[in-house]
């Protein structure tokens, strides 16, 4: 599972950076939305990796 997550880490960093950059134009509300989206993507990646590891 660790290798799966490490493979997806650059994607998560890119998505988080882009959403925080875009959210910064809308002030605190935008940053909160960006944090929520980044958390949702991270949770999705963890769930996908868990399912992939269980399938093996």
């Amino acid at each position: 599972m660790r290798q799966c997550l490490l493979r997806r880490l650059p994607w998560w960093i890119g998505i988080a950076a882009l959403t925080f950059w875009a959210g910064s134009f809308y002030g605190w509300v935008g940053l909160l939305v960006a944090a929520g989206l980044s958390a949702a993507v991270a949770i999705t990646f963890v769930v996908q990796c868990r399912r992939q590891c269980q399938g093996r």
Side-chain angles (χ1 to χ4, degrees), residues 17-28:
L18 185 63
T19 55
F20 275 100
W21 174 76
S24 67
F25 291 107
Y26 296 100
W28 285 106

Side-chain angles (χ1 to χ4, degrees), residues 1 4-5 8 43-56:
M1 182 165 151
C4 177
L5 289 173
R8 293 172 189 247
I43 290 168
T44 301
F45 282 172
V46 169
V47 169
Q48 287 176 348
C49 286
R50 281 187 183 170
R51 287 182 181 166
Q52 185 179 4
C53 287
Q54 288 176 353
R56 290 184 182 181

